[in-house]
Amino acid sequence: MDYVIDEGMEITLHFTLKLEDGTVVDSTREKTPATFVFGDGNLPPGFEHPIKGLKPGQSGAFKITPEHAFGQHNAQNIQTLKRADFGDEEPEVGMVMSFADKAGTELPGVVKTIDGDRVEVDFNHPLAGRTLTFEVEVLDVTPATTH
C-alpha cells in the first residue's frame, strides 16, 4: 500500500531550505531526516501545501513566497528599547536576545543599532520577506499512530 502525504500521515523526509541566491539556511541532508505528522504545526502551512500528495521516493523543489513562509518584513516589529531594559546584559549589534511579550511568550529579537541609551531591536523573523526554495525528498509516509 502506497501512502501519500496528507492529513494524519507521519512523514519522514530530507529537506533543504535555500535563499534566493542559493544559500542554504537549513538542511537535514547530512543529518537525521525530519519526521513529523502532517498538520501538527511543525511545518508552516505554506510548506505543507506543496508536498501534499507526494509519495515515498518522490522529490520536489518548491518556491515559497514570504506570505506562505515567515511573513513580510514589518517595520512595526522594530522596537526602540532603553539600554536599561537589558539589565546587566551589554547589548551588541547583531546579538540575538530573547524578550517576553505581554503574554509571556518568548520573542527573539536582533539588536540592529545602539545609539547612546537607545537600542533598536528587530523582532521580525530572520527570514521575513524572503522567498525560499524548499527542496524535499520523501523517504516514508505512514498513517500516524495516536498514543
Side-chain angles (χ1 to χ4, degrees):
M1 172 78 193
D2 266 354
Y3 292 106
V4 301
I5 294 178
D6 204 346
E7 297 294 325
M9 288 290 168
E10 185 175 271
I11 304 144
T12 301
L13 52 71
H14 270 302
F15 74 86
T16 302
L17 198 56
K18 294 180 179 171
L19 299 178
E20 299 94 327
D21 65 4
T23 304
V24 173
V25 182
D26 195 7
S27 178
T28 60
R29 280 274 161 218
E30 305 301 314
K31 302 186 289 234
T32 310
T35 299
F36 60 93
V37 175
F38 192 89
D40 68 358
N42 263 310
L43 275 188
F47 290 88
E48 285 190 341
H49 184 70
I51 66 171
K52 192 170 180 172
L54 292 182
K55 295 182 180 130
Q58 288 188 307
S59 300
F62 309 97
K63 282 233 174 300
I64 315 280
T65 58
E67 297 74 26
H68 294 112
F70 298 101
Q72 290 292 358
H73 194 272
N74 183 347
Q76 292 176 334
N77 289 340
I78 298 175
Q79 307 281 329
T80 302
L81 304 173
K82 292 184 187 66
R83 195 178 275 267
D85 294 337
F86 292 84
D88 296 336
E89 206 156 357
E90 192 55 44
E92 287 172 37
V93 173
M95 199 161 140
V96 177
M97 305 189 74
S98 208
F99 300 89
D101 66 10
K102 288 179 182 65
T105 309
E106 288 285 311
L107 282 178
V110 179
V111 177
K112 285 299 210 200
T113 60
I114 300 171
D115 183 15
D117 197 36
R118 296 158 53 87
V119 181
E120 196 178 60
V121 181
D122 186 348
F123 288 101
N124 283 292
H125 189 283
L127 297 174
R130 307 297 292 260
T131 294
L132 304 168
T133 299
F134 183 49
E135 296 174 355
V136 299
E137 179 193 347
V138 183
L139 302 175
D140 198 17
V141 180
T142 57
T145 48
T146 47
H147 299 291

